[in-house]
Amino acid sequence: MPKINGNEIRPGNVLEHNGGLWIAVKADHVKPGKGGAFAQVEMRNLRNGSKLNERFRSADKVERVRLEQKDQQFLYETDGMLVFMDNDTFEQIELPAEILGDRRPFLQDGMTIKIEYHEQEALNATLPQKVTCKIVETEPVVKGQTAANSFKPAILDNGVKVMVPPFVGQDEDIVVNTETMEYSERA
């Protein structure tokens, strides 16, 4: 695995540190008036979710880990576990539903998502950036209401509440950005 200097750490990098696998969430590069520069890095453990703030000097060497990404199809959920299938080998794996966090409601049957592996261990799962959902409940469309920065609440078919423009009505399909969990466009 390649070693990188402490000042080369960027958010999203996966590092092997203190015997665990950590993903850099935030990296602030500090140049104090006295002493050497350093990177203040906030990290999250990929296995148990614990957080750690660590200071790396530019001379410190850290191992950067490359995760292998595979596209896997979601099949079903059973007892809090999500079952995915590899489209090439048809092998099935189970991952805890918590791996998706608050984006779990956007997972739909048959959806293909990216699962990141370190050796044979699945560590992370990423939904597609945009997902189509149906609006179940929202206020009726009001004619003549401007769309300039006015939004109204809407409840989607998966139970998630999002803010939508006033021209979007009930039973319409919309595209939701899963990273920001906001309305993107009409479907």
Side-chain angles (χ1 to χ4, degrees):
M1 283 182 262
K3 286 199 180 262
I4 60 172
N5 292 335
N7 62 347
E8 295 175 13
I9 298 171
R10 301 285 178 263
N13 287 1
V14 177
L15 311 169
E16 191 168 310
H17 181 67
N18 291 348
L21 284 177
W22 302 82
I23 185 165
V25 179
K26 269 201 282 193
D28 293 325
H29 297 279
V30 181
K31 173 96 176 79
K34 189 175 180 184
F38 60 88
Q40 184 71 36
V41 182
E42 183 180 316
M43 302 185 293
R44 182 174 49 84
N45 190 309
L46 285 173
R47 291 193 173 104
N48 61 21
S50 64
K51 290 200 173 185
L52 174 70
N53 272 324
E54 196 72 47
R55 183 177 285 187
F56 294 99
R57 303 227 170 266
S58 58
D60 295 343
K61 295 281 189 194
V62 198
E63 276 199 43
R64 182 170 175 203
V65 179
R66 296 228 183 259
L67 297 180
E68 180 187 353
Q69 292 188 338
K70 286 186 183 174
D71 285 341
Q72 307 232 318
Q73 184 178 7
F74 174 63
L75 298 178
Y76 58 91
E77 181 176 2
T78 174
D79 298 328
M81 299 297 280
L82 306 174
V83 180
F84 297 95
M85 178 183 69
D86 189 317
N87 291 336
D88 301 327
T89 63
F90 302 109
E91 286 181 30
Q92 293 185 9
I93 62 160
E94 285 188 0
L95 294 174
E98 296 87 49
I99 199 165
L100 292 173
D102 54 355
R103 288 159 181 73
R104 165 65 189 98
F106 290 106
L107 185 64
Q108 299 166 351
D109 288 343
M111 182 181 276
T112 301
I113 72 167
K114 283 193 185 333
I115 297 182
E116 295 178 318
Y117 288 89
H118 178 253
E119 291 159 1
Q120 295 300 316
E121 181 184 9
L123 294 174
N124 199 7
T126 310
L127 288 172
Q129 187 177 1
K130 296 190 173 180
V131 176
T132 303
C133 298
K134 183 184 266 322
I135 294 178
V136 178
E137 183 182 320
T138 188
E139 298 166 11
V141 177
V142 179
K143 285 216 184 291
Q145 188 176 13
T146 71
N149 289 342
S150 63
F151 284 83
K152 61 184 181 181
I155 299 174
L156 303 176
D157 53 4
N158 56 14
V160 176
K161 287 184 181 176
V162 294
M163 299 301 283
V164 297
F167 58 82
V168 178
Q170 195 163 318
D171 297 328
E172 279 191 55
D173 287 338
I174 62 167
V175 177
V176 177
N177 184 329
T178 57
E179 290 172 9
T180 61
M181 295 179 69
E182 294 174 344
Y183 167 87
S184 180
E185 61 192 4
R186 274 183 166 158

